[in-house]
Amino acid sequence: MKYYSLNKKAANVSFKDAVIKGLAPDKGLYFPEQITPLSKAFFENIDRLSHSEIAFEAIKQFVSPEIPTDVLKTIIEETLSFDFPVVEFNKNISTLELFHGPTMAFKDVGARFMARCLGYFNKNNNNEVTVLVATSGDTGAAVANGFLGVKNVKVVILYPSGKVSAIQEKQLTTHGQNISALEVKGTFDDCQAMVKTAFLDKKLTDMMQLTSANSINVARWLPQLFYFMFAYRRLHKKHKDLVFSVPSGNFGNVCAGIMAQQLGLPIKHFIASNNDNNVVTKYLRTALYKPEPSVQTISNAMDVGDPSNFIRIQELYKNNFETLKENLSSFSFSNKETKAAMLEIYNRYNYVADPHGAVGYLGCKAYLEKNPTAYCVFFETAHPTKFLDIVEAVVKKEQVLPPQIKSVMGKIKEAITIVTYEDLKHYLLNS
Ligand SMILES: *Cc1c(COP(=O)(O)O)cnc(C)c1O
């Protein structure tokens, strides 16, 4: 598969080059040249396929021929070595739990897939690649875990000081080996801006091969389309008119769902559920896309003021606002509403949701009000104990820490504080 830049001012590249570069030289995101729908038979027989078989069929067109069939099968087996349970709440709502991976957030799948692709591309190559990643919490954790010990790959994580949860910070800063963490005095948007500046800094990019492991990287973004297929496989016999509510920040996850739909998956509608960072909610109302500075909320992985993947969603709908609006709704919810939803979910369904999942649940409820016959699946994108303070304060019950979380709690934080882009550059050139 060849990929073009959405800015249309750079050459088309192979999957391999798209993964290694991250972002095109003209600053555009890479996008596949073709999307070939899967066969009807695939969807009719999906119940009989394993998760790995589904994933293989769904992604092979995007990664071949650079990743050979046998290698792809191994990468997928290793990437998906945990469960994706569906929990049904009532006759219209269920949740797909995406937090059973090693860092307990949905980003594990994309990070593990990308790390293995990059490891494969780099195995006979002694040129080190530096993965530079800005995180509001979960990306850095998943990327650090996924890339730990991968040969010839160095990972540098930038996270906003004081704006990630205590457990997330441990997950980012305690790996050692080829992983380092930079604590930025600023917001997530500042971190993301520094990463973008680094990619455009010729002096830096002449000296080192930089790539991104944010969802702008196609190898991080595309595997997320599996989730929608896994949920469909579980639910389609019982429920018609499936809609998905995706707690959204950079819009990589929901965008991957739209890709699954274009591969032929019968999805009726998407809901991008947002916190107070609601640029897209406003866009769907006004047709004007206006980035804003991010504001801090209790669902911090969605504190994004200018979602980088939104441009891919526009491309998937051929830049047609009406088509986009028919397929995608967006709602935005305050911290107060989110906490009330966490409590409601706990009281009504005896289920402890994290703040991101709770925003997804509210998206389902808002959509179902006007579409009462739909069946809505919201994504639980992180394990509730990753946001322990908030969760325990809301449900008023001590939470049991799963082993993945327990194992990082006692470790010692190692991070270097930086303030400006020059600090980052100095670090990269001298470490
Ligand atoms: C990253 C993240 C999101 C947002 O996902 P996007 O693909 O950036 O829209 C939602 N919830 C959690 C827990 C996350 O870590």
Side-chain angles (χ1 to χ4, degrees), residues 324-335:
L324 192 155
K325 213 178 144 153
E326 263 165 43
N327 282 283
L328 176 73
S329 301
S330 175
F331 304 99
S332 128
F333 305 97
S334 66
N335 281 343

Side-chain angles (χ1 to χ4, degrees), residues 124-417:
N124 298 321
N125 161 2
N126 281 322
N127 299 335
E128 191 178 67
V129 174
T130 299
V131 173
L132 196 56
V133 57
T135 184
S136 53
D138 286 334
T139 301
V143 168
N145 187 288
F147 281 83
L148 185 66
V150 175
K151 203 172 137 238
N152 294 328
V153 178
K154 215 170 91 179
V155 175
V156 178
I157 299 165
L158 284 77
Y159 72 96
S161 181
K163 295 187 175 69
V164 303
S165 81
I167 286 166
Q168 286 175 325
E169 185 167 45
K170 290 280 189 190
Q171 290 181 316
L172 297 173
T173 58
T174 59
H175 281 289
Q177 297 186 47
N178 59 331
I179 315 291
S180 19
L182 302 180
E183 179 172 2
V184 177
K185 295 276 176 211
T187 62
F188 169 70
D189 288 338
D190 297 328
C191 298
Q192 198 158 29
M194 281 193 202
V195 168
K196 282 191 182 150
T197 308
F199 282 120
L200 302 174
D201 187 332
K202 194 153 179 323
K203 179 159 171 239
L204 201 60
T205 54
D206 281 348
M207 313 241 335
M208 56 178 62
Q209 179 63 59
L210 286 181
T211 191
S212 147
N214 287 91
S215 50
I216 59 174
N217 195 303
V218 293
R220 245 295 306 279
W221 165 53
L222 287 169
Q224 300 174 149
L225 67 85
F226 304 157
Y227 308 142
F228 299 82
M229 298 201 171
F230 297 169
Y232 177 81
R233 167 180 179 264
R234 271 291 301 276
L235 295 165
H236 76 110
K237 284 259 162 79
K238 257 169 60 189
H239 304 286
K240 299 275 166 282
D241 291 350
L242 276 190
V243 307
F244 285 90
S245 170
V246 185
S248 295
N250 259 324
F251 281 66
N253 207 0
V254 68
C255 181
I258 297 168
M259 181 62 98
Q261 188 188 41
Q262 302 219 342
L263 290 174
L265 188 71
I267 298 175
K268 185 171 181 252
H269 198 78
F270 293 93
I271 302 152
S273 296
N274 291 134
N275 56 30
D276 279 328
N277 296 279
N278 56 7
V279 176
V280 173
T281 308
K282 287 181 190 151
Y283 169 77
L284 286 170
R285 212 157 48 217
T286 60
L288 291 176
Y289 183 85
K290 212 167 121 259
E292 287 171 7
S294 61
V295 293
Q296 202 179 341
T297 74
I298 59 168
S299 45
N300 65 26
M302 313 199 297
D303 295 350
V304 182
D306 184 7
S308 45
N309 283 288
F310 195 65
I311 185 162
R312 282 188 172 134
I313 296 184
Q314 290 177 309
E315 186 78 3
L316 281 163
Y317 289 125
K318 308 214 157 36
N319 294 298
N320 183 321
F321 179 73
E322 292 308 321
T323 323
L324 192 155
K325 213 178 144 153
E326 263 165 43
N327 282 283
L328 176 73
S329 301
S330 175
F331 304 99
S332 128
F333 305 97
S334 66
N335 281 343
K336 199 170 154 214
E337 290 168 311
T338 305
K339 286 184 189 164
M342 289 164 71
L343 196 58
E344 176 175 308
I345 294 168
Y346 184 60
N347 289 336
R348 272 196 204 163
Y349 307 111
N350 195 25
Y351 185 92
V352 179
D354 96 293
H356 305 78
V359 169
Y361 169 81
L362 287 170
C364 277
K365 281 188 52 171
Y367 181 81
L368 288 167
E369 253 174 46
K370 296 208 171 112
N371 303 273
T373 58
Y375 189 85
C376 187
V377 182
F378 74 91
F379 285 175
E380 232 319 1
T381 46
H383 192 276
T385 57
K386 291 194 85 172
F387 305 92
L388 197 61
D389 296 354
I390 297 156
V391 169
E392 288 187 340
V394 171
V395 303
K396 305 213 166 40
K397 184 164 180 265
E398 197 178 327
Q399 298 297 301
V400 179
L401 297 184
Q404 292 101 309
I405 302 289
K406 251 195 195 145
S407 68
V408 296
M409 294 292 275
K411 294 193 181 164
I412 309 281
K413 164 181 164 181
E414 273 183 57
I416 294 169
T417 303

